[in-house]
Amino acid sequence: MSRKLRMGMVGGGTGSFIGDVHRRAAAIDGMIELVCGAFSSTAEKSIASGITLNLEESRCYGTFEEMIQKEKELPEAIRMDFVAIVTPNHMHFPPAKMALENGFHVVCDKPVALTLEEAEALQNIVEKSGKLFALTHNYTGNSMVKQAKAMVAKGELGKIRKIQAQYLQGWLSTSLEKTGQKQAAWRIDPKKSGIGGALGDIGTHAENLIEYITGLKIEEIAADLGKFGEGRILDDDGNMLIRMENGAKGSISISQIALGEENNLAIKVYGTKGSLEWHQENPNELITRWLEAPKKIFTPNGNGLHEEALEVSRIPAGHPEGYLEAFATIYKKFATHLSAINNGETIEKLDYPTVEDGIRGMKFIYAAVESDSNNSAWTKI
């Protein structure tokens, strides 16, 4: 019999933006419930956050180590099924490793780890454990992104020849990190963010979107990174040329100092028969242009959609679906897979990002940093 999956959370305490996003997204389809958590690096704050979320005080833990150990000791009928990790980058690997090695599945925010070495170690742990690992590259959950991927996979655009992607923000145009703003402070700190600043935070989304939609891997990159914020060690801007495995060419532009931009993630893919264009800030439209047909705009639940897009559209046409729904799609597909395993059913891997996508993202970050340090020399991923 199907039941709600029980989720534990690491990070995401009171005042956390991303923790609240994960909780709301996980709940949208009614398949998951939050039952426990270690929500802060301070035990007192962690327990207080859990109580605020209406959890039983006995399942509000001071540390993730305590949570995993105590939950493992609970009867199978009530213990958590999986752990959602919503911490800064430097705290992805330790709880993921411990959860997997103690028999729990994992959903983790991106990038997958602080370093490439951690990411590769985590991949080995996932394989050895036999547990599921989902990475929340949430934009792949959008219905129009699914439509774009299906159209490319079915050859409707012909051979892919050119790709342009961008992810532009302006929220770090000033020295926000010096005001005590936590979200800014950890992102510019290499000890917490890793070797990539904007690269890890938003660049990996652009990289992942390119590889997800086209089904092609980026083989080489020539990167010119910027550090415009006063005293910043990590990149807050960047422009990259890319070469794809099929010979296609492309470019990626990222920035967190593009004054006036909010969350301008967009992608254009050009083939021999047609092209497509998608903008995250207008997520319900997929613009397509054709060699021998008029321009067509696809919308959720509209005419001509492939099953891959229809199955993740939750509400009638004309009602906007966006960020939370795309996030929820990752959780829904992960939960569907995990529920099938719990019910003894055989199921193919469903369409959600995994640790392998995390490895690709980390290699992208490292190759871009290496290229930039060598005067934008072409660097293999």
Side-chain angles (χ1 to χ4, degrees), residues 110-111 137 198-209 361-362 364-365:
K110 44 58 54 190
H137 273 299
L199 269 173
D201 195 24
I202 58 177
T204 51
H205 274 307
E207 167 268 329
N208 179 257
L209 201 61
M362 293 304 298
F364 166 79
I365 294 169

Side-chain angles (χ1 to χ4, degrees), residues 38-276:
F39 300 101
S40 174
S41 57
T42 302
E44 183 179 353
K45 291 181 180 179
S46 176
I47 294 169
S49 292
I51 293 172
T52 300
L53 292 167
N54 298 312
L55 297 181
E56 296 178 15
E57 188 169 353
S58 63
R59 299 182 78 178
C60 302
Y61 300 103
T63 65
F64 75 81
E65 293 94 341
E66 180 190 12
M67 181 185 79
I68 292 170
Q69 186 59 47
K70 290 288 183 65
E71 289 292 315
K72 184 180 179 181
E73 294 171 358
L74 291 175
E76 187 175 351
I78 62 172
R79 75 168 72 117
M80 66 180 179
D81 293 293
F82 72 95
V83 177
I85 300 170
V86 297
T87 58
N89 304 352
H90 72 297
M91 285 302 297
H92 288 180
F93 178 74
K97 177 180 185 293
M98 185 175 179
L100 291 163
E101 290 178 341
N102 282 275
F104 296 106
H105 307 273
V106 172
V107 174
C108 185
D109 217 7
K110 44 58 54 190
V112 70
L114 183 69
T115 67
L116 179 58
E117 291 75 18
E118 282 186 352
E120 291 174 336
L122 187 61
Q123 184 179 35
N124 290 331
I125 294 167
V126 171
E127 292 172 356
K128 184 177 180 180
S129 71
K131 299 301 176 182
L132 302 186
F133 184 97
L135 191 68
T136 51
H137 273 299
N138 54 292
Y139 300 108
T140 64
N142 190 281
S143 61
M144 291 299 92
V145 171
K146 301 290 187 190
Q147 174 70 9
K149 178 179 177 62
M151 292 174 71
V152 173
K154 296 176 190 299
E156 295 175 20
L157 270 63
K159 182 180 179 180
I160 303 305
R161 301 194 291 196
K162 184 177 180 63
I163 303 160
Q164 290 183 318
Q166 65 180 44
Y167 202 151
L168 306 177
Q169 300 174 335
W171 71 294
L172 289 179
S173 294
T174 62
S175 298
L176 189 61
E177 64 272 20
K178 296 179 182 179
T179 69
Q181 214 267 21
K182 291 176 63 177
Q183 296 298 320
W186 76 259
R187 281 174 168 82
I188 60 92
D189 183 355
K191 293 180 180 179
K192 295 181 178 180
S193 186
I195 68 170
L199 269 173
D201 195 24
I202 58 177
T204 51
H205 274 307
E207 167 268 329
N208 179 257
L209 201 61
I210 287 172
E211 294 197 347
Y212 181 76
I213 289 177
T214 66
L216 301 169
K217 286 183 170 59
I218 302 170
E219 281 201 334
E220 290 184 285
I221 184 171
D224 180 22
L225 305 179
K227 302 167 186 176
F228 289 98
E230 182 181 354
R232 285 181 187 157
I233 300 172
L234 300 178
D235 61 278
D236 53 20
D237 183 82
N239 297 289
M240 291 153 271
L241 298 178
I242 58 174
R243 293 170 176 166
M244 308 301 292
E245 62 181 338
N246 75 330
K249 310 290 187 181
S251 64
I252 301 174
S253 180
I254 63 169
S255 185
Q256 292 181 317
I257 52 88
L259 184 64
E261 296 286 0
E262 294 180 348
N263 208 58
N264 190 355
L265 170 63
I267 184 169
K268 297 179 180 180
V269 179
Y270 300 90
T272 53
K273 298 178 182 178
S275 65
L276 60 81

Side-chain angles (χ1 to χ4, degrees), residues 24-32 314 325 328-329 331-333:
R24 291 174 186 271
I28 281 179
D29 293 296
M31 301 177 70
I32 296 169
R314 294 173 175 80
E325 289 83 0
T329 295
Y331 271 101
K332 181 179 181 179
K333 289 184 175 292

